[in-house]
Amino acid sequence: MLVHKIDEVKSKIREWKKEGLKIGLVPTMGALHAGHASLIKKAVETCDKVVVSVFVNPIQFCPGEDYAEYPRTLDEDVKLAEGIGADLVFAPSPDEMYGKGQRLSNDTLAYIVPPFFYVDKLCGKSRVGHFDGVCTVVGKLFNITQADCAFFGQKDAQQLVIIKKFVKDLNFNVEIIPCPIVREESGLALSSRNKYLTEDGKKEALVLSKILNNIKACYDKGITDVNALKETAFSFLTEKHDMEYLEFVDKDDLEDKTTADDNTLVLIACRVEGVRLIDNIILGK
Ligand code: AMP
């Protein structure tokens, strides 16, 4: 069932809660692909009722980013989500989420702001305010759906750590379930933004997973010095790749690492054909 209004979701949730059902939430921005599908599948397996939200959240886009162009494919999304067994697709408008005529700024809206330490690095460095927008919308979705469990992809590793942090710090009553990265056979991590790439661009985009896999192979051979591991990336890069960062941090608290270990999360962001792509790997896996 597709609904657009918060009140419709709330009344469905009240019914389900009365029956003592376990509710799962899968927050998405739509343009659903097999990565999203894996989250929905896991939710359907784990919970009695599953809500998939489809919302291109304006407050998590920075000026100059792709908010207007972001792919919107609601009809297909509903088919995919319901095909897997989702019970409700919640697709609100920005006005529904933030109030009509609301100026979407932190002057006018109460925000969930994660600690500076968690956002002043990796994607947060170039996407200032992005994680405030993510946490705020995710917090609202937790309250609207009263979800017992919420499913997030390891693909957005920094987002996952930050969401776990605010859920713990603010005592939200929801269990966060991480789900592994789904990739194309080539190794390319699925992303709604892959739609912006040409066929040639998709080949060039393999540089992210190649760099990460090579770092993992070097680590498995015994190299643990982070600078040495970082240097292995350069042989993969050409003028077609505009690397934003390659960082080694602790997978649970994003603390920088100088020596790699099994808990090290290696994250990469790189532009290909102007499209900003991210990927990551945990060395101990
Ligand atoms: P998005 O629609 O990009 O905001 O993503 C919604 C959720 O799907 C987030 O929890 C993402 O981490 C997750 N996700 C996106 N791509 C993948 C992928 N390739 N594998 C697993 N999860 C993913």
Side-chain angles (χ1 to χ4, degrees), residues 27-29 33 35-36 39 70 152-153 155-156 159 180-182 190:
T28 81
M29 296 207 300
H33 51 63
H36 300 109
L39 271 56
Y70 198 85
F152 292 90
K155 164 83 176 14
D156 297 276
Q159 167 175 290
I181 301 176
V182 177
L190 295 184

Side-chain angles (χ1 to χ4, degrees), residues 14-262:
R14 268 195 299 273
E15 254 176 53
W16 291 340
K17 287 272 170 184
K18 252 191 223 156
E19 294 173 43
L21 299 176
K22 182 172 171 181
I23 295 165
L25 169 68
V26 182
T28 81
M29 296 207 300
L32 301 185
H33 51 63
H36 300 109
S38 73
L39 271 56
I40 300 170
K41 190 160 176 283
K42 178 95 179 158
V44 168
E45 284 164 9
T46 326
C47 299
D48 300 312
K49 294 287 176 189
V50 171
V51 181
V52 175
S53 60
V54 174
F55 180 55
V56 185
N57 175 32
I59 67 168
Q60 72 184 67
F61 287 79
C62 302
E65 288 189 348
D66 57 343
Y67 174 68
E69 304 86 54
Y70 198 85
R72 288 161 170 86
T73 59
L74 185 57
D75 291 346
E76 284 102 324
D77 293 348
V78 173
K79 270 189 216 136
L80 184 142
E82 292 188 342
I84 301 168
D87 299 277
L88 205 65
V89 175
F90 174 44
S93 66
D95 281 351
E96 179 67 11
M97 284 300 269
Y98 297 118
K100 224 179 169 60
Q102 172 75 279
R103 271 190 309 116
L104 297 177
S105 79
N106 46 13
D107 283 343
T108 58
L109 199 66
Y111 268 66
I112 298 177
V113 181
F116 189 62
F117 176 81
Y118 287 72
V119 296
D120 182 34
K121 51 174 56 175
L122 307 168
C123 291
K125 224 172 185 170
S126 64
R127 307 191 74 190
V128 176
H130 168 70
F131 289 111
D132 301 3
V134 169
C135 292
T136 301
V137 79
V138 168
K140 283 168 74 76
L141 291 167
F142 289 162
N143 284 333
I144 292 165
T145 62
Q146 297 292 303
D148 299 283
C149 300
F151 299 79
F152 292 90
Q154 180 63 31
K155 164 83 176 14
D156 297 276
Q158 185 178 15
Q159 167 175 290
L160 185 56
V161 171
I162 289 173
I163 287 171
K164 280 187 186 160
K165 172 78 179 152
F166 91 71
V167 161
K168 180 167 175 276
D169 288 356
L170 300 179
N171 304 97
F172 275 84
N173 256 330
V174 58
E175 185 185 352
I176 303 302
I177 316 268
C179 302
I181 301 176
V182 177
R183 299 176 180 281
E184 288 188 0
E185 223 170 287
S186 63
L188 179 65
L190 295 184
S191 162
S192 305
R193 290 191 169 97
N194 292 352
K195 290 193 176 172
Y196 300 141
L197 295 169
T198 64
E199 275 311 306
D200 190 44
K202 279 182 93 176
K203 283 190 197 126
E204 294 299 335
L206 290 177
V207 74
L208 285 88
S209 55
K210 280 185 186 159
I211 286 174
L212 294 174
N213 286 335
N214 185 56
I215 286 172
K216 163 92 173 112
C218 293
Y219 172 75
D220 287 344
K221 279 188 199 143
I223 303 174
T224 57
D225 179 67
V226 163
N227 284 332
L229 289 168
K230 272 189 185 176
E231 270 177 29
T232 66
F234 291 110
S235 62
F236 292 89
L237 295 168
T238 71
E239 72 290 343
K240 296 196 171 166
H241 314 122
D242 179 9
M243 179 129 96
E244 184 179 307
Y245 66 72
L246 173 65
E247 299 291 352
F248 290 61
V249 301
D250 183 273
K251 71 176 177 48
D252 297 315
D253 61 13
L254 305 182
E255 191 90 52
D256 289 332
K257 294 271 195 184
T258 50
T259 307
D261 59 25
D262 281 1

